[in-house]
Amino acid sequence: MNIAQYMPVKIIFGSGSLNQLGEIAAQYGKCAMLVTMPWEGVQKPAFIQAKDLLEAAGLRVVTYDKVVPNPTTTTINEASIIAKKEQVDVMIGLGGGSSIDTAKAIAVGATHPGVAWDYVYTEKKTANSSATLPIIAVTTTSGTGSHTTKYAVFTNPDLKVKSTIVNEAVFPKAAIVDPELMRTMPAFVSATTGFDAFTHAFESYTNIHANPLIDQLALVSMEIIVKTLEKAIENPDNLEYRTLLATADTLSGICIANVGTTLPHSIGQPISGKCPWVSHGQSLALVYPEFLKFTQSACIEKFAKVARFFNSALENVSDDIAASELSNEVSELQKRMNIYTSLKELNVPKSMINDIVRDAVLCPDTYVNPRIPSAEQVKQMLDNMWETS
Amino acid sequence: MNIAQYMPVKIIFGSGSLNQLGEIAAQYGKCAMLVTMPWEGVQKPAFIQAKDLLEAAGLRVVTYDKVVPNPTTTTINEASIIAKKEQVDVMIGLGGGSSIDTAKAIAVGATHPGVAWDYVYTEKKTANSSATLPIIAVTTTSGTGSHTTKYAVFTNPDLKVKSTIVNEAVFPKAAIVDPELMRTMPAFVSATTGFDAFTHAFESYTNIHANPLIDQLALVSMEIIVKTLEKAIENPDNLEYRTLLATADTLSGICIANVGTTLPHSIGQPISGKCPWVSHGQSLALVYPEFLKFTQSACIEKFAKVARFFNSALENVSDDIAASELSNEVSELQKRMNIYTSLKELNVPKSMINDIVRDAVLCPDTYVNPRIPSAEQVKQMLDNMWETS
């Protein structure tokens, strides 16, 4: 069955929607595990509110607040043991993609033989839908789309490999998208997660498996991000901008859930897999200028359409010229948002480039890009990313 | 749970997607009932292809080809008896909203005590999800959105009442949206179904329960329809236009599945319920100019935004002025598409107006309109619809 769109997640969207957490979670049992980053950050009020709401709905709450960016098997395995011991009924990931992906992986790890890593697609074991704990995603960033996907991405630090559970069992039962929670998001997080959402829409739109239905969602998402992200960074507390970006993130999440990502993710994932201090969104921002230059000749019309969201003056030039401007437009946006960078600036060792190339050419995302690079061409792109020009 | 978006239908979209029908239906059993309009119309090739595909996938096919526009309990009850006797496993509605809604109602009628009508929301019995036969929707028009909804609308001719089964059990398991099937759609059907899709988006967008996520889908859908519908009518065979309209219909279907319709549907439904020669889309086209005039003062900003899809010169005027132009813009579009009409032209007896008013004020859709009319105001609108000006 060649599905163009399937989205079984009940999406609770809008200002104040966090208030529904208790009611929703209570449908799935008596004990919830609340999975978050450490509680002392900007999200502390949201964590406390979530815990209170769950307890008010009669649930026992087990908190696990050791989520790390680019989540690891170390934390996931530790939390899975706790979830099993505490007989958790429902997993709640509250935070950005790292918290949600950690909750998803625990939902598998706590209910299956072995550990969560055994169920990433590269290990070829399949999680059982009915065994996997139900998951509720509460997203506090506008970027990863994880609240709408059947993917959980995490890293095995022993192998220095980042991989993904791909299974309908980890589709959240419900996703709460409350723009109020996004008003305290720092500028760098807004920029990198917002850019991540842009990449989801862009890569679904230009994917060789793109479909006309999802294309429309991708276009809406990209137009919102290009026209709103900088304004939200300048006015972090503005609820209208936060709501628009949450919409863009959710729509682009639906895009990747149904079509999927391409070459930037196959190069970006090993970078943050091997260098966990590089966030997922930052790794994509790094890759984009070179990826766009490499790919543009293979996808002129779509590149041109997106370029015109950045610069309406490009309405008056040919598709060829507009498409060739996209890399510059993206670089300029990145510069204005302070996320334009290089491998050197990100402290990625030069010696690691060959390993990144090897992982990238093994990744299936590479082969749905409109132009498929050889290993040498991936290496050339990475060499070009060494220093900013 | 206040859900903004939930869409459990697997949507198979794109040119050639009908070819997947056999494979999909075979997942649900051995015997399919293929529910269509009489087989001698423009859709004959699609009917034959569907039957062949089902048989090639090993299914026994029971055909029921007596669907009528504004489906009735008469046909639904007859077909339900056949479905029960033939031990049908899966219902396939192939056609416009009438065929799909008939298939949905049979799926309930064939598996529950009593008849399908007992399960419309006004009768207050609830169909059982696990008993209801699985439904596959194959849409051949771009308008009703039925392939994405949990609604089956039909008429009880004895009561002269049109009502609706509202139940997650009648969400199709899969929807096939193949724009190839839409290339033979006559101009009048393209116009009225296309206008119906516009109303779904418009009424979800202006509904008092609108949400910002669905708003974006509604805006995309309306913009496509306003800019493409006339072109598709002039070039019926153009696959690009048909694909865009199928996209708009599917997105606006997601809008009504999650937000819902308002006043035009509460006035339009009783008109075609009592006068089944008036198609659903035609009844809405009739109601719109008056509805827009009545409602515009209560929803200026959103009306203005939609008016500007029709006429970009309205970018340069105030929201107040742009909003007040919407009724004219819609009337002009209807005139160009030959669907601008009056109660008199549609042969609706003048004596029926009071009954229509009575049904309209009983319908919950009336109370989610941005401006709620009294019975007198509904009567005034209907009086204004008597003759075109």
Side-chain angles (χ1 to χ4, degrees):
Chain A
M1 214 193 300
N2 190 9
I3 298 164
Q5 131 97 22
Y6 175 52
M7 188 41 55
V9 180
K10 293 187 171 171
I11 300 173
I12 324 297
F13 187 100
S15 181
S17 55
L18 178 61
N19 288 318
Q20 298 185 52
L21 177 61
E23 178 199 343
I24 297 166
Q27 297 176 4
Y28 298 102
K30 295 283 177 205
C31 177
M33 184 175 228
L34 181 58
V35 178
T36 67
M37 291 265 181
W39 279 51
E40 290 308 318
V42 289
Q43 292 173 339
K44 189 173 177 183
F47 296 158
I48 292 172
Q49 196 187 341
K51 188 162 184 279
D52 288 349
L53 286 161
L54 292 164
E55 286 173 347
L59 288 123
R60 182 164 66 85
V61 182
V62 177
T63 55
Y64 183 79
D65 71 346
K66 294 181 196 163
V67 171
V68 291
N70 295 309
T72 61
T73 49
T74 318
T75 51
I76 289 161
N77 295 348
E78 177 187 80
S80 298
I81 291 167
I82 299 170
K84 211 183 287 188
K85 192 177 142 222
E86 296 280 352
Q87 298 186 296
V88 165
D89 299 311
V90 50
M91 295 300 308
I92 297 164
L94 187 158
S98 301
S99 295
I100 298 170
D101 283 6
T102 299
K104 288 173 168 179
I106 299 168
V108 171
T111 50
H112 288 77
V115 292
W117 185 261
D118 297 335
Y119 300 88
V120 297
Y121 79 93
T122 37
E123 296 292 317
K124 301 196 192 318
K125 272 195 203 171
T126 303
N128 176 341
S129 313
S130 59
T132 305
L133 290 173
I135 298 149
I136 298 170
V138 183
T139 179
T140 63
T141 66
S142 293
T144 70
S146 179
H147 58 296
T148 64
T149 71
K150 59 181 176 187
Y151 313 129
V153 187
F154 54 111
T155 300
N156 187 322
D158 299 331
L159 306 175
K160 289 199 189 316
V161 171
K162 196 167 184 175
S163 191
T164 308
I165 293 176
V166 181
N167 194 307
E168 288 193 1
V170 300
F171 261 129
K173 298 290 178 202
I176 293 178
V177 186
D178 186 341
E180 295 282 355
L181 307 183
M182 296 157 198
R183 296 166 90 157
T184 51
M185 213 190 320
F188 179 77
V189 179
S190 294
T192 50
T193 56
F195 193 80
D196 189 16
F198 174 84
T199 72
H200 295 155
F202 188 81
E203 292 166 41
S204 298
Y205 181 57
T206 56
N207 195 301
I208 61 167
H209 298 306
N211 75 66
L213 180 64
I214 294 295
D215 281 357
Q216 296 298 331
L217 308 189
L219 286 167
V220 174
S221 175
M222 287 186 281
E223 187 167 12
I224 290 174
I225 294 166
V226 171
K227 295 183 174 165
T228 314
L229 186 53
E230 286 176 276
K231 291 196 267 185
I233 291 169
E234 282 157 29
N235 307 279
D237 198 41
N238 183 300
L239 197 60
E240 184 193 338
Y241 300 149
R242 293 299 188 188
T243 301
L244 280 167
L245 291 173
T247 302
D249 173 34
T250 300
L251 294 178
S252 69
I254 298 174
C255 293
I256 44 167
N258 287 288
V259 180
T261 55
T262 65
L263 183 60
H265 277 72
S266 43
I267 303 178
Q269 299 270 45
I271 293 174
S272 44
K274 291 170 205 309
C275 305
W277 57 89
V278 180
S279 77
H280 175 67
Q282 180 67 87
S283 77
L284 290 163
L286 164 77
V287 169
Y288 251 68
E290 288 301 318
F291 148 72
L292 292 169
K293 280 185 226 161
F294 173 78
T295 306
Q296 57 104 353
S297 63
C299 197
I300 298 279
E301 204 179 318
K302 288 187 164 184
F303 271 53
K305 193 153 190 162
V306 179
R308 290 173 181 132
F309 291 149
F310 285 84
N311 181 353
S312 59
L314 297 174
E315 297 288 352
N316 307 316
V317 302
S318 69
D319 280 0
D320 275 331
I321 294 174
S324 71
E325 284 298 318
L326 184 57
S327 176
N328 281 337
E329 293 289 347
V330 167
S331 297
E332 291 305 315
L333 172 67
Q334 290 184 353
K335 285 173 191 169
R336 294 193 299 272
M337 301 196 302
N338 297 316
I339 61 168
Y340 184 71
T341 190
S342 65
L343 285 168
K344 192 174 161 189
E345 247 179 47
L346 293 173
N347 294 315
V348 177
K350 205 167 196 170
S351 59
M352 214 175 257
I353 287 182
N354 285 333
D355 292 344
I356 297 167
V357 172
R358 193 198 53 224
D359 284 9
V361 297
L362 285 174
C363 178
D365 285 13
T366 300
Y367 303 94
V368 291
N369 200 56
R371 183 177 174 206
I372 298 169
S374 63
E376 290 67 35
Q377 285 168 321
V378 175
K379 167 109 174 46
Q380 183 61 58
M381 279 184 255
L382 284 157
D383 287 343
N384 295 348
M385 289 171 217
W386 179 249
E387 256 180 297
T388 51
S389 52
Chain B
M1 213 192 302
N2 190 7
I3 297 164
Q5 131 99 21
Y6 175 52
M7 189 40 55
V9 181
K10 292 186 171 172
I11 301 174
I12 324 295
F13 187 100
S15 181
S17 55
L18 178 60
N19 289 318
Q20 297 185 53
L21 177 60
E23 177 199 344
I24 297 166
Q27 297 177 4
Y28 298 102
K30 294 283 179 205
C31 178
M33 183 175 229
L34 181 59
V35 177
T36 66
M37 292 267 181
W39 280 51
E40 290 309 318
V42 288
Q43 291 173 340
K44 190 173 177 183
F47 295 159
I48 292 172
Q49 196 187 342
K51 188 161 184 280
D52 288 350
L53 286 162
L54 291 164
E55 287 174 347
L59 288 122
R60 182 163 65 85
V61 181
V62 177
T63 56
Y64 183 79
D65 70 346
K66 295 181 194 160
V67 170
V68 291
N70 294 311
T72 62
T73 49
T74 318
T75 50
I76 289 163
N77 295 348
E78 177 187 78
S80 297
I81 291 166
I82 298 170
K84 213 182 286 187
K85 190 176 142 223
E86 296 281 351
Q87 299 187 296
V88 165
D89 300 310
V90 50
M91 296 299 308
I92 297 164
L94 187 157
S98 301
S99 295
I100 297 169
D101 283 6
T102 299
K104 287 174 169 179
I106 300 168
V108 171
T111 50
H112 288 77
V115 292
W117 186 260
D118 296 335
Y119 300 88
V120 296
Y121 79 93
T122 37
E123 297 292 317
K124 300 196 192 322
K125 272 194 200 168
T126 302
N128 176 342
S129 314
S130 59
T132 305
L133 291 174
I135 298 149
I136 298 170
V138 183
T139 181
T140 63
T141 66
S142 292
T144 70
S146 179
H147 58 296
T148 64
T149 72
K150 59 181 176 187
Y151 313 128
V153 187
F154 54 110
T155 300
N156 186 322
D158 299 333
L159 306 175
K160 288 199 190 313
V161 171
K162 196 167 182 174
S163 191
T164 308
I165 294 176
V166 181
N167 193 309
E168 288 193 2
V170 301
F171 262 129
K173 297 290 178 201
I176 293 179
V177 187
D178 186 342
E180 295 282 355
L181 306 183
M182 295 156 198
R183 296 166 90 158
T184 51
M185 213 191 319
F188 179 76
V189 180
S190 294
T192 50
T193 56
F195 193 80
D196 188 16
F198 174 84
T199 73
H200 295 155
F202 188 81
E203 292 166 41
S204 298
Y205 181 58
T206 57
N207 195 300
I208 61 167
H209 297 307
N211 75 66
L213 180 62
I214 294 294
D215 282 356
Q216 296 298 330
L217 308 189
L219 288 166
V220 173
S221 174
M222 288 186 279
E223 187 168 11
I224 290 174
I225 293 166
V226 171
K227 295 185 174 165
T228 314
L229 184 54
E230 287 176 275
K231 291 196 264 184
I233 290 169
E234 282 157 32
N235 307 279
D237 197 42
N238 183 299
L239 196 60
E240 186 193 337
Y241 299 148
R242 293 298 188 186
T243 301
L244 279 167
L245 291 173
T247 302
D249 173 35
T250 301
L251 295 178
S252 69
I254 297 174
C255 293
I256 44 166
N258 287 289
V259 181
T261 55
T262 65
L263 184 59
H265 277 71
S266 43
I267 303 178
Q269 300 269 45
I271 294 174
S272 45
K274 290 170 205 312
C275 305
W277 58 89
V278 180
S279 76
H280 175 69
Q282 180 67 86
S283 76
L284 290 163
L286 164 76
V287 169
Y288 251 69
E290 288 302 319
F291 148 72
L292 291 170
K293 279 184 228 160
F294 173 79
T295 306
Q296 58 105 353
S297 63
C299 198
I300 299 279
E301 203 179 318
K302 287 187 164 183
F303 271 53
K305 193 153 189 163
V306 178
R308 290 172 180 133
F309 291 149
F310 285 85
N311 181 353
S312 59
L314 298 173
E315 297 289 351
N316 307 316
V317 303
S318 70
D319 280 0
D320 276 329
I321 295 174
S324 69
E325 283 299 316
L326 184 57
S327 177
N328 282 336
E329 293 289 347
V330 167
S331 298
E332 291 305 314
L333 172 68
Q334 291 184 353
K335 285 173 191 167
R336 295 193 300 272
M337 300 196 303
N338 297 316
I339 61 169
Y340 184 72
T341 190
S342 65
L343 285 168
K344 193 174 161 188
E345 249 179 45
L346 292 173
N347 295 313
V348 178
K350 206 167 195 172
S351 59
M352 213 173 258
I353 287 183
N354 284 334
D355 292 345
I356 297 168
V357 172
R358 194 198 51 224
D359 285 9
V361 296
L362 285 174
C363 179
D365 284 13
T366 300
Y367 303 93
V368 290
N369 200 54
R371 185 179 172 203
I372 298 169
S374 64
E376 290 66 36
Q377 286 168 320
V378 175
K379 166 104 173 52
Q380 186 60 58
M381 279 183 255
L382 283 156
D383 286 342
N384 295 349
M385 288 172 218
W386 178 250
E387 255 180 298
T388 51
S389 52

